[in-house]
Amino acid sequence: MRRIVLPALMVAALAPTAQAAPATDLLVAARIVTAMEDESPSDAMAWDADGRIVAIGRAEALQAAHPDARVHDVGEGVVMPGLIDAHGHLMNLGFALLRADLVGATSKAEILERLKAYAATVPADAWIIGRGWDQNDWPEKAFPTAADLDAAFPDRPVWLERVDGHAGWGNTAAMRAAEARQARSFDGDWQVDGGRILREGGRATGVFIDAAAALVDVAVPVPSEALREEAFERALAAAAASGLTGVHDMGVSRDDLALYARFADAGRLTLRVEAYADGDRDALADRCAQGPYVHDGGRLAMRGVKIYMDGALGSRGAALIDDYSDEPGHRGLLLMRREALGALLAKVKDCGLQAATHAIGDLANRLVLDAYAETLGSAAATSDHRWRIEHAQVVAPADLPRFAALGVIASMQPTHATSDMPWAEARVGAARLRGAYAWKTLQDSGARLALGSDFPVESVDPRLGLYAAVTRQDLQGLPVGGWQPQERLAMPEALDGFSTDAAFANRSEAAVGRLAPGYRADFIVVDRNPRTVDARELPRLTVRSTWVDGRPVYDGDAAAATAAR
């Protein structure tokens, strides 16, 4: 082995931790990227039997200090902190992987072809369930109708969730089944609070937005526990293969948390999951009665609640201060009245939990900021509440500085910008874009950013999020120079958003998000240094393996060999 001199400062730092906890594992690599800022070169890392890092430094010195440790040599691989997605939906991802995949379909004809192929794989009497359609990707860019599905599926119920999860599209058979459950026709001029049934001439067209989608959801057969378990397994596998070691799972029910806990009990939870309760329901009631939940294994917790204030921009459900530019007279949907939000936030505060509120439109963001300020009071800026706004997608410029002033974390998803950029200006106009997807402006104002994907709305792959954050371009490199390029993040800032800042957003910054003595050995092995690679290469960064608590949960080489067979 080549002679390597360990820096004196690092020797001093490592000596006490090595004495306190002997390493049982030692990994040697081309480079250890301990955090996303500059640091002294390291090529080895050691951790103990509990999966906690005891030393990082040069290989020769660490091997001498830990002669009995099991050695993992990853050759030219680069080790970096495991990536954390600060906003995802694990069960939705798992079910999306089990159902008809409609993401990226460029026409209704392509949707039908995919549905026919999927229908051949499930029982003849089963509902045809799918997810991922987006009318903005079609030539006509208009919402579809039940008639578009009826010709191919006249008798079999079809129910398709929009890519953003804020609208559903059903055929006539699905609507009839749902009307039977509701004992009410969907035709007429009535609407549900926080929802919108699209109609033509008083007749339901087949598209149900936000709360209205629940009218059809109740008729969909409930998945078996075995299917739920399979969905969760698939979600965990997809996350690990993408280099994720942690996810903030937004909107987790009591039953879902129980499923996660069973996986954790059995040692099958291959991801660090911070679950957020699904609004003012059973999971929140449990937390208020029993206190925040933390599993003994350290990989599962529920210490916060996800709240919905409005819908999504793509389905014109985001609540805007002024009319939609492409639908005069319509300003979106508020899913909760301002008074009800205040009451729920007071409950969340009294229960000692963290609030994470979905707000996409400028009106929704303003109302949430107002409610946070009122609930948290004069200590909002100085108390360590770490309340969050999820998405913060279109914000009135005057409201942008309020995030930092109130100590509110902006939980944002870079790939939303690059997915929405072809049509976002049509929705809100050029003037409102100045406060849209404003990552850099928020960061420069002093706000903390936590980055994620909102999977399965977007891909679970964080490499795509990193690429979008630093380029604001699609995968073809368009537009040249980036869309609204003043809002691009520098590479270290984007990496922090998926690591240290995401960890801060759920109070785990002392345990994960970086590699250092005392931290969990959550890391990934990639083929190149993400801090120095050309931004255009980020989507092609290869995840060779993913490790949680110092144990491999994904082996890219084995996966490649299996795929090649």
Side-chain angles (χ1 to χ4, degrees):
M1 178 180 289
R2 63 190 185 281
R3 184 175 181 271
I4 304 173
V5 179
L6 188 67
L9 181 61
M10 188 165 286
V11 171
L14 297 180
T17 60
Q19 292 172 1
T24 59
D25 290 86
L26 189 151
L27 182 142
V28 179
R31 176 72 182 262
I32 309 287
V33 179
T34 60
M36 301 317 174
E37 69 272 8
D38 289 331
E39 74 282 322
S40 300
S42 305
D43 61 0
M45 177 171 66
W47 59 90
D48 63 20
D50 292 329
R52 197 172 294 278
I53 298 170
V54 298
I56 298 176
R58 304 309 292 264
E60 185 175 285
L62 264 62
Q63 287 179 323
H66 305 283
D68 298 325
R70 180 170 51 244
V71 177
H72 310 271
D73 190 337
V74 297
E76 294 303 309
V78 175
V79 173
M80 61 182 284
L83 297 174
I84 303 167
D85 191 310
H87 185 117
H89 306 277
L90 285 166
M91 291 304 293
N92 285 348
L93 172 62
F95 280 118
L97 294 170
L98 289 170
R99 294 169 174 170
D101 179 9
L102 309 179
V103 174
T106 57
S107 67
K108 286 183 282 190
E110 184 178 349
I111 294 282
L112 291 175
E113 289 304 313
R114 294 194 192 187
L115 292 177
K116 290 174 184 176
Y118 172 76
T121 68
V122 296
D125 60 346
W127 280 53
I128 298 172
I129 308 294
R131 181 188 175 111
W133 62 272
D134 184 353
Q135 82 283 1
N136 296 304
D137 292 339
W138 307 339
E140 65 273 23
K141 301 189 185 304
F143 276 120
T145 68
D148 295 321
L149 299 170
D150 288 345
F153 305 99
D155 305 311
R156 192 171 180 182
V158 179
W159 182 235
L160 311 173
E161 192 172 11
R162 194 179 182 277
V163 66
D164 58 12
H166 285 267
W169 168 27
N171 68 347
T172 299
M175 288 197 292
R176 296 296 171 262
E179 286 174 329
R181 288 290 299 271
Q182 300 288 340
R184 184 177 190 180
S185 171
F186 294 148
D187 297 337
D189 59 1
W190 60 276
Q191 296 289 357
V192 295
D193 286 343
R196 188 183 186 196
I197 303 172
L198 295 192
R199 297 188 179 96
E200 292 180 3
R203 296 184 63 82
T205 65
V207 171
F208 299 74
I209 298 174
D210 286 309
L215 299 172
V216 182
D217 284 336
V218 296
V220 178
V222 176
S224 67
E225 196 61 24
L227 190 62
R228 283 168 35 79
E229 183 172 320
E230 182 181 354
F232 190 47
E233 283 181 334
R234 292 204 182 199
L236 292 175
S242 297
L244 292 175
T245 57
V247 165
H248 301 176
D249 194 0
M250 291 291 163
V252 176
S253 69
R254 171 191 281 172
D255 289 343
D256 287 345
L257 184 64
L259 174 63
Y260 297 2
R262 291 197 298 272
F263 269 65
D265 290 343
R268 299 169 62 194
L269 188 59
T270 55
L271 187 68
R272 212 171 292 282
V273 179
E274 183 75 28
Y276 285 75
D278 57 341
D280 194 9
R281 299 181 181 176
D282 292 344
L284 176 59
D286 292 344
R287 302 285 60 82
C288 287
Q290 304 164 20
Y293 171 83
V294 179
H295 189 273
D296 290 342
R299 294 190 185 181
L300 176 63
M302 180 179 278
R303 297 172 284 196
V305 57
K306 166 72 179 301
I307 302 167
Y308 278 97
M309 193 61 189
D310 68 343
L313 196 64
S315 50
R316 297 186 185 87
L320 302 180
I321 295 170
D322 296 312
D323 292 357
Y324 273 81
S325 298
D326 57 359
E327 190 177 344
H330 180 60
R331 297 186 179 183
L333 299 168
L334 285 174
L335 306 186
M336 180 176 291
R337 299 182 188 278
R338 169 65 178 80
E339 297 76 13
L341 175 63
L344 179 53
L345 290 174
K347 177 179 180 179
V348 171
K349 181 182 177 183
D350 289 345
C351 295
L353 301 172
Q354 180 190 31
T357 307
H358 166 117
I360 287 184
D362 52 8
L363 175 61
N365 276 282
R366 177 169 292 176
L367 292 176
V368 173
L369 289 167
D370 289 347
Y372 279 10
E374 178 182 298
T375 306
L376 294 168
S378 59
T382 56
S383 64
D384 192 26
H385 57 81
R386 305 199 196 184
W387 284 15
R388 308 161 47 144
I389 289 184
E390 305 302 312
H391 309 307
Q393 202 161 302
V394 181
V395 182
D399 289 331
L400 289 168
R402 299 179 66 195
F403 283 78
L406 293 170
V408 173
I409 295 167
S411 172
M412 306 181 79
Q413 299 76 44
T415 47
H416 278 336
T418 50
S419 290
D420 297 356
M421 63 186 180
W423 49 262
E425 186 170 343
R427 289 284 190 278
V428 301
R432 283 183 285 195
L433 281 184
R434 290 198 294 270
Y437 316 90
W439 315 322
K440 188 64 174 173
T441 297
L442 279 165
Q443 186 177 75
D444 288 349
S445 74
R448 198 76 171 249
L449 298 186
L451 301 183
S453 67
D454 199 14
F455 66 74
V457 175
E458 304 284 352
S459 170
V460 68
D461 191 339
R463 293 165 293 188
L464 301 181
L466 292 170
Y467 170 79
V470 300
T471 67
R472 291 180 74 99
Q473 295 175 318
D474 63 21
L475 293 176
Q476 287 69 50
L478 298 174
V480 175
W483 182 63
Q484 306 275 88
Q486 72 278 6
E487 297 296 347
R488 289 181 301 197
L489 297 177
M491 185 77 78
E493 295 168 336
L495 287 163
D496 281 347
F498 280 97
S499 57
T500 54
D501 291 334
F504 178 87
N506 76 321
R507 299 183 181 275
S508 61
E509 73 274 16
V512 297
R514 64 177 66 240
L515 301 177
Y519 279 67
R520 308 305 307 185
D522 292 2
F523 60 91
I524 58 177
V525 181
V526 293
D527 62 335
R528 285 163 287 178
N529 188 338
R531 292 182 62 252
T532 58
V533 71
D534 187 296
R536 293 170 294 184
E537 291 299 308
L538 282 170
R540 290 176 285 278
L541 201 70
T542 299
V543 178
R544 292 180 51 185
S545 58
T546 303
W547 304 60
V548 177
D549 286 324
R551 297 292 177 262
V553 297
Y554 169 73
D555 183 338
D557 293 336
T562 300
R565 292 197 191 109

